[in-house]
Amino acid sequence: MKAKMKLLISCLLAASLTTAAYSCKGKTNNNNSNTTDTAATAKPAGPRFDADSAYSYTAAQCQFGPRTMNSAAHEACRKWIVGKFKQFGCEVQEQNADLKGYDGTVLKSTNIIARFNPKAKKRILLCAHWDSRPWADNDPDSTNHRKPVMAANDGASGVAVMLEIARLLQTDKKFAMGVDFVCFDAEDWGVPQWETGYQDTGDSWALGAQYFSKNLPAGPKPEFGILLDMVGGEGAQFYREGMSLQFAPDIVSRVWEAARSAGCGSYFPDAVGGMVTDDHVPVNQNSGIPTIDIIPYYPDCQQSSFGPTWHTVNDTMEHIDKNTLQAVGQTVIQVLYTK
């Protein structure tokens, strides 16, 4: 569930950011002077993350249309995601379950579990949700509230970053660590804002992650996890998320330090953002895998602290920024290649 941090003022609608040949060019931040990056302080590790490739994977998912539960687009995209991970050398398992939505709707859910280096005992979990919100219930135009969300950012971007990382790892024959890429389903079926007959207690969200966390597949458990949620938006910055700090503060520190080392620290302020009920919460609560959430925080956005396109019909490719994809992807690469 991501319906929580609502603040006042106006929205950041675009980023004036450029991508360097390898790492991320600094972004001015008046509140966090230590996050301006320079070539002298950045010590990047691992291959260069290809934002153009991640952008194309985001667009490919959107070409199926909104990937809402039980839809033809959802089924077609599932096959595509499975095929791409297999193409990149992963061993893929589909975790199927009939889950019940808040209103009793049976949701044909599939968590996609793709293991890179499946025999490696030392493993890290990377995860994102791949379904789309069925209702644009935060759209400023109330006539759009029952329309589906394209979910270019809120869903597709996280999967795209994982796919690009899988592609890069396949080309590195010396990379020995195991990576479990998990695409959670049924994340965004939470109680809509227009619904008056049901109380939103938080448990109607992240249904696929709830199921996964209670039904872990056989094999070595990952040492820690990183959730990628809405990692391609214009003007995005990723503050330290509150629930992540409660469950896995050392992993938060590790990832934010990796961002600075990769030259992407301006996208990852040292400041703390809101507390978000997201897929990482049941993973932490039920699986024992300390997992953090990389999720944007827009402190000056009146419409939503998740940004102006969150749960609106405007969550489309027009508002995906390659610079943001680059910053997040390069940071995760830095984590994977730093001991």
Side-chain angles (χ1 to χ4, degrees):
M1 163 177 137
K2 292 171 268 182
K4 54 256 356 122
M5 308 179 294
K6 293 190 177 179
L7 301 176
L8 300 176
I9 320 181
S10 59
C11 295
L12 292 169
L13 292 176
S16 56
L17 305 167
T18 57
T19 304
Y22 183 89
S23 59
C24 311
K25 186 175 180 180
K27 175 179 178 179
T28 301
N29 187 321
N30 294 331
N31 296 321
N32 300 279
S33 58
N34 65 326
T35 61
T36 301
D37 307 311
T38 67
T41 59
K43 298 179 180 179
R48 180 187 181 278
F49 184 85
D50 190 335
D52 289 333
S53 180
Y55 185 89
S56 72
Y57 297 146
T58 308
Q61 293 170 77
C62 291
Q63 288 175 359
F64 293 107
R67 284 81 59 211
T68 56
M69 300 301 299
N70 302 341
S71 69
H74 182 265
E75 175 64 11
C77 190
R78 177 193 64 78
K79 294 178 180 178
W80 180 84
I81 293 172
V82 168
K84 295 304 289 186
F85 276 118
K86 287 182 177 179
Q87 178 186 339
F88 299 146
C90 294
E91 182 181 276
V92 179
Q93 173 185 349
E94 296 181 67
Q95 188 181 55
N96 299 308
D98 288 348
L99 306 177
K100 187 174 290 188
Y102 78 92
D103 57 353
T105 300
V106 176
L107 308 174
K108 299 293 183 179
S109 173
T110 303
N111 292 326
I112 302 168
I113 303 165
R115 289 190 176 91
F116 183 81
N117 282 345
K119 295 182 180 179
K121 293 183 178 180
K122 181 180 177 62
R123 312 195 64 78
I124 291 176
L125 169 69
L126 298 180
C127 49
H129 80 89
W130 69 278
D131 61 306
S132 296
R133 178 75 167 157
W135 315 286
D137 55 329
N138 200 54
D139 199 280
D141 183 351
S142 61
T143 64
N144 291 328
H145 284 182
R146 294 176 187 266
K147 294 179 181 178
V149 178
M150 181 58 74
N153 192 31
D154 192 2
S157 65
V159 173
V161 168
M162 294 200 302
L163 284 171
E164 174 56 14
I165 291 172
R167 186 189 71 82
L168 291 171
L169 294 182
Q170 185 189 31
T171 67
D172 185 354
K173 303 304 180 185
K174 296 182 180 180
F175 187 84
M177 185 185 300
V179 179
D180 291 343
F181 298 97
V182 179
C183 302
F184 293 126
D185 206 357
E187 190 271 349
D188 243 340
W189 193 271
V191 179
Q193 296 182 39
W194 45 257
E195 183 63 80
T196 59
Y198 300 87
Q199 182 179 2
D200 188 358
T201 60
D203 58 359
S204 63
W205 303 78
L207 299 179
Q210 290 183 47
Y211 184 84
F212 171 85
S213 67
K214 296 175 183 178
N215 299 273
L216 292 180
K221 182 184 294 187
E223 296 183 1
F224 66 89
I226 301 173
L227 173 64
L228 307 174
D229 198 352
M230 298 186 286
V231 293
E234 295 170 319
Q237 284 186 297
F238 303 92
Y239 288 60
R240 297 175 184 238
E241 187 271 325
M243 298 299 288
S244 302
L245 288 169
Q246 285 192 11
F247 286 116
D250 55 333
I251 306 303
V252 173
S253 296
R254 177 172 177 172
V255 172
W256 264 247
E257 176 59 34
R260 289 191 292 272
S261 297
C264 306
S266 59
Y267 286 82
F268 288 78
D270 284 332
V272 177
M275 301 183 73
V276 182
T277 304
D278 205 350
D279 287 320
H280 67 312
V281 173
V283 173
N284 277 293
Q285 291 175 332
N286 302 323
S287 74
I289 302 171
T291 301
I292 71 160
D293 197 359
I294 296 179
I295 190 167
Y297 179 60
Y298 291 72
D300 298 327
C301 184
Q302 183 176 8
Q303 188 172 327
S304 169
S305 57
F306 296 120
T309 68
W310 176 72
H311 289 187
T312 74
V313 297
N314 294 315
D315 187 1
T316 57
M317 289 303 299
E318 288 77 9
H319 301 290
I320 295 296
D321 188 346
K322 292 180 183 179
N323 297 299
T324 308
L325 293 170
Q326 172 73 29
V328 174
Q330 200 68 61
T331 295
V332 176
I333 287 290
Q334 187 80 18
V335 172
L336 294 177
Y337 279 81
T338 303
K339 294 182 180 179

